[in-house]
Amino acid sequence: MDERAKQTLLQLVHDDALQSHESLATRLGVNVEEVVQAISDFEAKGIIMRYGAVVNWDKADSSRVTAVIDVKVTPERGRGFDQIARRIYLFPEVVSVSLMSGTYDLQVIVEGRKIQEVAQFVSEKLSTIENVTSTTTHFRLKTYKFDGVIFDDPTTDQRLVVTP
Amino acid sequence: MSQRLEGRLSQIVRELPPSGIRRFFDLANQMEDIISLGVGEPDFVTPWRVREACFYALEQGYTTYTSNRGMPELRVAIANYLHKYDLHYDPLTEIIVTIGGSEAIDIAMRTILSPGDEILIPDPGYVSYYPCAILTGATPVAVTTCASDDFKLTKEAILGKITEKTKAIMLCFPNNPTGAIMTHSDWQPIVDLILERDLFVISDEIYAELTYGEKHVSIAAFPEMKERTVVVSGMSKAFAMTGWRIGYVTGPEYLIKEMLKIHQYTIMCAPIMGQMAALEALQHGEKDKDAMIKEYDQRRRLVVEGFRSIGLPCHEPKGAFYAFPDIRNTGLTSAQFAERLLIEGKVAVVPGEVFGQSGEGFIRCSYATSVKQLETAIERIGLFLTQLDRIEA
Ligand SMILES: Cc1ncc(COP(=O)(O)O)c(C=O)c1O
């Protein structure tokens, strides 16, 4: 399988991980064995990290709150941001941490069952870390689109059933 | 009373057979829970950037007529776009923006054909060529293409139908309904014949973008062909813009000048909102278009493989978004097959005979449908075939 086909395969698996290897192989015009090999290579190299589902939690009726927190830090000499990021991401309530360009340094996403829970994490854990100089917490009110998936997409097939 | 009046209507129109698709549509439309592979248009909605550009144009007050030929910027964009097929047209004099490829086909035929002329039409082929030819008073003559040739047009087939009355030939590659394409070497003998017999050519290249593995070759790009060829194309298929009704026709100035008369008196101009959207699509829509083509290609492999796996022979369609499997070994006509598949199997396809006599024995299945739907449709068709076998046995 050439590099382009591999990239396409990766995108297809990203979009729908439940597709059968046979179907993926036919769509790409390659053998099933090649697909199996490529996927296990992706897994081995840590390119594919995990298979999951995109869930609209608002609809699932599970009470959970998500906060996006802008964190400013003073990086440590010789260790940069990585060490501080690690100290943050090892907390289980942290679902994502990214280093950002711009007015703050780390974007931290935290999930909890109640606002108080998240607030407590920020005030007791996050802002007390030595190199953290400031935090700004934004609570997520509604998700419209996530990872390429539109959550309240009203588009239905408008086409007539048979056309020339 | 109304019968008497009806009898006085134009004979040529009254004798025109109603569209075969229409009858099938009425039937399919009454059914519930069907999967339709009968749709001749993309399942994608128009790329958002294009729709958004239309909002902007409306906000800016673009609600007027445009030049009869279409907005100058759009004609320049079309001219530039066609360079990719080695087609070179002057945006000032050799392009008209039309109401879809549909209008382009009509005005090209009306400009070229006179009563008594004959025009060769590949069969199976798109449904509007026959009636448009008949409405000019000319006689359409079918030229058969066969599954054994992958539905390519051959010199031999044309030679069998050409007479001294033959004035023009209609072409449609990539083809609706067969998905056939023509390569450079496929065209060469046909180009030679066309030059030898001094024919006009109307080349419907609306599916030019949708080829898989091989790039589209326009017959108008051959030397000496431009002066006798009208190229019909449009935004509908490649950019998922069927509802916008924007197409275009290109050709030598002397032909465009005459076609423009019909267009300016009957249409005036294509709608400006659609033209603004088309401009955005041609200038910035390439990535969106390429993503759709990539997706069609994947689905194409899936359906062809799917049909073969359930026992329906299917040649590899190299263009458009149709597969055209062979149903002859079921013993049913394509109309019977399509009707029973619809009622018993809950899948809508279009009987091949709708596209001409040579389409008999085949069904047109559009793969402009989601992968999930395609997989379910193939399953249903497979089940239908097994039940059919059981009844026959
Ligand atoms: C071969 C072919 N030509 C022309 C058309 C007309 O397309 P439009 O008028 O939308 O450009 C179609 C539409 O189905 C087609 O399949």
Side-chain angles (χ1 to χ4, degrees), chain A residues 164, chain B residues 40 100-102 105 126 129 172 176 204 206-207 236-237 245:
Chain B
S102 302
I105 294 164
Y126 181 57
Y129 307 147
C172 175
N176 177 7
D204 180 349
I206 198 140
Y207 290 101
S236 287
K237 314 292 175 170
R245 312 306 305 124

Side-chain angles (χ1 to χ4, degrees), chain A residues 28-132:
Chain A
L28 294 170
V30 300
N31 299 327
V32 179
E33 295 75 38
E34 291 179 87
V35 167
V36 173
Q37 184 60 48
I39 289 180
S40 74
D41 286 350
F42 286 143
E43 290 168 353
K45 288 183 189 151
I47 294 172
I48 292 180
M49 307 282 295
R50 194 189 68 181
Y51 299 96
V54 176
V55 176
N56 184 348
W57 289 109
D58 297 346
K59 266 195 180 164
D61 220 18
S62 70
S63 56
R64 51 170 77 204
V65 292
T66 305
V68 180
I69 307 162
D70 308 340
V71 181
K72 283 190 191 163
V73 301
T74 40
E76 280 184 57
R77 190 179 181 102
R79 292 197 275 184
F81 290 102
D82 295 357
Q83 195 64 27
I84 308 159
R86 181 177 158 81
R87 249 186 101 171
I88 296 171
Y89 66 60
L90 285 175
F91 285 104
E93 48 272 76
V94 172
V95 294
S96 107
V97 178
S98 317
L99 181 63
M100 311 297 286
S101 69
T103 54
Y104 62 97
D105 305 302
L106 296 173
Q107 184 196 61
V108 176
I109 300 181
V110 174
E111 261 177 18
R113 268 172 316 203
K114 287 198 298 248
I115 288 190
Q116 289 82 342
E117 209 177 285
V118 175
Q120 195 174 9
F121 172 78
V122 174
S123 60
E124 289 180 11
K125 302 289 187 220
L126 194 56
S127 39
T128 57
I129 293 174
E130 213 185 309
N131 309 65
V132 169

Side-chain angles (χ1 to χ4, degrees), chain B residues 39 55 95 107 136 145 206 215 220 277 345-346 372-373:
Chain B
V39 191
F55 300 158
I95 299 177
I107 62 174
T136 69
T145 62
I206 198 140
K215 197 175 162 215
K346 300 217 173 244
K372 271 210 178 81
Q373 295 252 40

Side-chain angles (χ1 to χ4, degrees), chain B residues 238-264:
Chain B
F239 292 92
M241 291 179 66
T242 47
W244 300 81
R245 312 306 305 124
I246 299 293
Y248 48 89
V249 57
T250 63
E253 182 175 355
Y254 78 93
L255 251 162
I256 292 292
K257 189 182 75 192
E258 301 301 327
M259 283 195 272
L260 183 65
K261 290 190 213 157
I262 311 179
H263 175 76
Q264 82 191 12

Side-chain angles (χ1 to χ4, degrees), chain A residues 8 12 16 23 26-29 159-164, chain B residues 36 38-42 176 294-295 298 301 364 368 375:
Chain A
T8 309
L12 288 174
D16 180 2
S23 168
T26 314
R27 289 176 76 178
L28 294 170
R159 299 175 299 166
L160 302 173
V161 282
V162 180
T163 54
Chain B
S36 182
V39 191
E41 62 180 313
N176 177 7
K294 200 166 162 184
E295 179 75 32
Q298 293 170 12
R301 296 202 189 90
R364 189 195 73 175
E375 287 178 331

Side-chain angles (χ1 to χ4, degrees), chain B residues 120-337:
Chain B
L120 303 175
I121 294 182
D123 183 336
Y126 181 57
V127 297
S128 84
Y129 307 147
Y130 252 73
C132 282
I134 289 171
L135 286 170
T136 69
T139 306
V141 176
V143 177
T144 300
T145 62
C146 311
S148 53
D149 301 322
D150 282 341
F151 291 101
K152 286 174 189 288
L153 189 62
T154 63
K155 184 178 174 179
E156 294 65 39
I158 299 175
L159 274 174
K161 293 297 176 71
I162 213 163
T163 71
E164 67 281 12
K165 288 194 192 147
T166 309
K167 188 191 259 180
I169 181 165
M170 181 77 219
L171 298 170
C172 175
F173 295 95
N175 184 268
N176 177 7
T178 65
I181 63 163
M182 294 284 281
T183 62
H184 191 92
S185 55
D186 294 330
W187 278 133
Q188 192 62 61
I190 288 163
V191 165
D192 294 341
L193 181 63
I194 286 169
L195 291 173
E196 187 193 313
R197 296 301 186 106
D198 203 21
L199 304 180
F200 286 100
V201 176
I202 304 172
S203 183
D204 180 349
E205 302 182 15
I206 198 140
Y207 290 101
E209 280 286 352
L210 309 184
T211 61
Y212 312 103
E214 280 179 76
K215 197 175 162 215
H216 172 68
V217 180
S218 172
I219 194 169
F222 282 76
E224 298 177 67
M225 287 305 291
K226 181 183 167 184
E227 63 178 18
R228 58 181 68 246
T229 305
V230 171
V231 175
V232 169
S233 192
M235 308 304 292
S236 287
K237 314 292 175 170
F239 292 92
M241 291 179 66
T242 47
W244 300 81
R245 312 306 305 124
I246 299 293
Y248 48 89
V249 57
T250 63
E253 182 175 355
Y254 78 93
L255 251 162
I256 292 292
K257 189 182 75 192
E258 301 301 327
M259 283 195 272
L260 183 65
K261 290 190 213 157
I262 311 179
H263 175 76
Q264 82 191 12
Y265 291 129
T266 59
I267 300 293
M268 193 109 96
C269 68
I272 190 169
M273 303 76 130
Q275 293 194 53
M276 295 297 283
L279 184 61
E280 173 69 16
L282 289 175
Q283 287 179 336
H284 305 292
E286 177 139 347
K287 250 172 88 180
D288 292 307
K289 177 203 74 199
D290 290 346
M292 294 189 273
I293 295 170
K294 200 166 162 184
E295 179 75 32
Y296 292 137
D297 191 17
Q298 293 170 12
R299 299 169 181 181
R300 179 182 72 104
R301 296 202 189 90
L302 209 64
V303 289
V304 172
E305 195 56 39
F307 285 132
R308 289 177 182 166
S309 75
I310 57 173
L312 289 182
C314 185
H315 73 282
E316 189 194 346
K318 295 254 178 82
F321 38 57
Y322 307 107
F324 203 56
D326 182 344
I327 51 109
R328 285 175 292 188
N329 58 21
T330 61
L332 301 175
T333 66
S334 61
Q336 288 167 338
F337 184 95

